[in-house]
Amino acid sequence: MVGRRNSGKASPLFLVLLALSFCFVTYNLVTAIIQYGSIGREVGDNSYDRLSNDPIIEMPENVRKGKTKAPFHVALTATDAPYSKWQCRIMYYWYKKKKNLPESEMGGFTRILHSGQPDNLMDEIPTMVVDPLPAGVDRGYVVLNRPWAFVQWLEKATIEEEYILMAEPDHIFVNPLPNLSDGGYPAAFPFFYIKPTQNEKVLRKFFPEEYGPVTKVDPIGNSPVIIRKDLLEKIAPTWMNISLKMKDDPEADKAFGWVLEMYAYAIASALHGVQHVLRKDFMLQPPWDMDIGKKFIIHYTYGCDYNLKGELTYGKMGEWRFDKRSHLRGPLPRNLPLPPRGVPESVVTLVKMVNEATANIPNWEAT
């Protein structure tokens, strides 16, 4: 389904009540929420079943057809952990390689570092340091810092572009990325595991019936999303507050786990009457997506395990494997061995792109 129009707007009363419900979080956080005008993940590897659950989406024929270029600012949230740093360095390398190609509409770049203090990549990657949530608020769910980081960045930064791409460290630009949005319709990737209709009972706590059917909540997260800056400025505080409220709700926390913050973004967008053009070509996710084709971003969140015959051994460590989680404490080594013959193009391309980046990034081992 392409982006749909929704004439409803989030009522000030409902959104204010959401904000007030956080008065017990911490004094500093509540003060920040008021100051910024608030009104209001990774999935377990064994849960992926894309063949039976992928939504069917009509690709829009006229999205941005014949329109002038509309550059977007690339923004990704990150921590100062080694695991996050090496991914950011690879991502930024490929951003620079693809940025000025003819079909690209990528503009500036910011790593939004929510550690509260600078790190050793400040001179390598354009970075703005923002505060993390107050101690204990995220309860070990580090992704909860993402919406709060965007709220701060949007308030403090000077962003020249009208549009913003919300990206993540484990994204690699495999093809030049144009602006896939259509004005008031942001572009987003549909995730098979975001199922608003199947979770209506829980979602109604945060998306009341007065706002319409739960189908107005798109099956997306905040990333990748290309969105107009003014729309994100409205959505971000609500996204932050709903994320916190959902984490504080035992039923929602149990139901959504590591994708809770993704649901919160989708709900916040729907509360503001913002819905998205769903672009399946936005991103591919090895090993399940096998071909690159005309897709734009490789998302390497899933482990890739194969035997020496080139057969996938998912759920079992392969004789050959690529898994970002194997490198939590430091950067992966340069010159990774290529997969065996018969492994899909997407996996081979991923490893080749990682190898090219690590071979050309100075002082790679110092991450």
Side-chain angles (χ1 to χ4, degrees), residues 57 99 151 157-158 195 309 337 342 344:
I57 299 155
K99 177 182 184 295
V151 169
T158 299
K195 303 175 181 178
K309 297 179 182 179

Side-chain angles (χ1 to χ4, degrees), residues 8-249:
K9 300 291 183 182
S11 68
L13 177 60
F14 176 72
L15 296 174
V16 167
L17 288 175
L18 276 176
L20 292 176
S21 68
F22 290 101
C23 63
F24 297 105
V25 177
T26 67
Y27 173 79
N28 289 335
L29 181 57
V30 172
T31 301
I33 291 173
I34 295 172
Q35 175 184 350
Y36 292 111
S38 297
I39 48 176
R41 107 185 172 49
E42 294 167 343
V43 182
D45 286 344
N46 293 328
S47 68
Y48 203 98
D49 184 11
R50 65 181 295 111
L51 294 179
S52 61
N53 291 312
D54 235 5
I56 297 175
I57 299 155
E58 296 179 14
M59 294 302 297
E61 298 276 336
N62 61 346
V63 172
R64 293 195 47 76
K65 185 182 243 183
K67 295 185 179 180
T68 58
K69 281 202 169 187
F72 53 85
H73 196 97
V74 179
L76 74 153
T77 53
T79 73
D80 60 358
Y83 176 65
S84 178
K85 287 180 180 179
W86 67 255
Q87 293 176 53
C88 288
R89 299 182 81 187
I90 292 173
M91 193 258 199
Y92 185 58
Y93 173 87
W94 283 105
Y95 156 81
K96 291 188 294 182
K97 292 272 288 188
K98 304 295 183 180
K99 177 182 184 295
N100 294 320
L101 296 180
E103 296 180 5
S104 169
E105 292 183 75
M106 290 188 280
F109 187 103
T110 302
R111 180 181 61 136
I112 308 170
L113 181 63
H114 53 76
S115 63
Q117 56 188 6
D119 65 7
N120 64 336
L121 297 183
M122 302 296 291
D123 294 333
E124 178 179 333
I125 304 175
T127 299
M128 174 174 280
V129 178
V130 297
D131 293 327
L133 290 166
V137 172
D138 66 15
R139 286 186 282 170
Y141 179 47
V142 68
V143 186
L144 212 59
N145 286 280
R146 182 176 294 152
W148 174 222
F150 270 107
V151 169
Q152 295 174 80
W153 178 64
L154 289 165
E155 173 67 20
K156 297 176 181 179
T158 299
I159 306 163
E160 296 181 359
E161 297 85 357
E162 184 183 1
Y163 291 84
I164 293 168
L165 164 66
M166 292 186 282
E168 296 181 18
D170 60 354
H171 287 176
I172 291 178
F173 296 106
V174 68
N175 281 311
L177 180 60
N179 189 334
L180 302 176
S181 71
D182 188 23
Y185 294 103
F189 177 81
F191 290 92
F192 80 93
Y193 48 78
I194 303 297
K195 303 175 181 178
T197 56
Q198 293 187 24
N199 292 280
E200 181 169 3
K201 178 178 177 293
V202 180
L203 290 187
R204 282 304 186 189
K205 294 182 178 183
F206 315 98
F207 187 73
E209 291 186 4
E210 65 186 271
Y211 290 95
V214 77
T215 52
K216 291 184 177 181
V217 178
D218 290 325
I220 61 172
N222 83 290
S223 176
V225 166
I226 299 176
I227 185 171
R228 237 175 41 212
K229 180 172 57 178
D230 63 309
L231 295 178
L232 185 56
E233 287 172 341
K234 294 176 182 178
I235 292 169
T238 311
W239 170 31
M240 177 185 73
N241 287 338
I242 291 178
S243 296
L244 291 168
K245 188 170 179 62
M246 291 177 77
K247 187 65 180 175
D248 199 46
D249 183 291

